[in-house]
Amino acid sequence: MLEYFRPTRQANSLDLISVEQLRKDGIRGLIIDLDNTMTPWNNVEVGPKVEAWFKKVKSAEIRACVVSNNSKRQRVAVVADRLGIPFVFGATKPRRRAFRAGMNLLETGQEDTAVIGDQLFTDILGGNRLGLYTILVTPINDHEFIGTRIMRRIEKLLVWVMKHFASAKPYSPKIH
Ligand SMILES: [Mg+2]
């Protein structure tokens, strides 16, 4: 059961994910969460570091798409268009169909797709259910609706529990 909540890797932020390592691990497509992974919650600003990271991804010939549970099409579209990548809005993560929709956009499969997100219960759980490579990032900020805050507390507890098992390989030794 805990296996489903264990990411393949962890990073402090999206731009700290090693593109070289993704290539080495055979990743050709990225399904990336929007809120608190690419931008602060409900904000359309993409930071310069994130923009530079996407350029690296592109030049490594890795495809990327946004798969967001956010139901506001315009909000998701503005960010995806700025980065020149396709998107799925109103996704139903952790349901598998949300990730299959992403893989359809990327034209990648189970063996070469990675899921990147800040939430264990949507991004990591959903990706792991399909046997995908999963990367947990630290959320950009904590300005979220109450439901998410409650989930965060449970997530923190789970992360603590997992530290007593074999945990994911971090990119940097300290992650929290
Ligand atoms: Mg998120």
Side-chain angles (χ1 to χ4, degrees), residues 13-169:
S13 59
L14 185 62
D15 60 284
L16 290 177
I17 294 171
S18 163
V19 176
E20 294 75 20
Q21 189 65 54
L22 289 173
R23 285 291 307 204
K24 272 188 208 156
D25 291 345
I27 299 303
R28 304 305 303 264
L30 303 173
I31 290 174
I32 310 176
D33 173 54
L34 179 65
D35 289 308
N36 267 333
T37 296
M38 287 170 63
T39 67
W41 189 75
N42 239 2
N43 187 313
V44 292
E45 292 304 316
V46 176
K49 284 181 184 170
V50 168
E51 231 170 311
W53 184 82
F54 271 96
K55 281 189 186 135
K56 259 194 272 175
V57 166
K58 203 172 184 181
S59 57
E61 293 180 346
I62 296 173
R63 292 179 181 183
C65 71
V66 180
V67 175
S68 174
N69 280 359
N70 197 312
S71 57
K72 293 176 204 146
R73 185 185 192 281
Q74 189 54 23
R75 145 123 181 88
V76 182
V78 165
V79 178
D81 290 351
R82 186 171 299 166
L83 296 164
I85 59 176
F87 66 93
V88 178
F89 75 102
T92 53
K93 296 180 286 185
R95 294 187 71 174
R96 282 172 284 209
R97 69 174 183 196
F99 300 91
R100 290 198 184 110
M103 285 193 278
N104 279 340
L105 286 176
L106 298 167
E107 298 176 313
T108 54
Q110 189 221 348
E111 66 296 337
D112 57 356
T113 307
V115 174
I116 303 171
D118 68 300
Q119 286 195 268
L120 284 174
F121 282 96
T122 53
D123 308 302
I124 304 306
L125 171 63
N128 284 347
R129 285 177 75 209
L130 272 175
L132 305 178
Y133 186 110
T134 49
I135 305 171
L136 180 68
V137 296
T138 306
I140 293 175
N141 66 24
D142 287 317
H143 179 81
E144 297 164 281
F145 55 91
I146 192 72
T148 307
R149 283 197 197 158
I150 291 165
M151 291 308 252
R152 289 258 181 252
R153 295 207 172 170
I154 300 169
E155 283 179 350
K156 273 189 187 155
L157 182 69
L158 262 176
V159 167
W160 182 85
V161 168
M162 283 191 296
K163 278 185 184 157
H164 297 268
F165 292 77
S167 62
K169 302 167 208 130

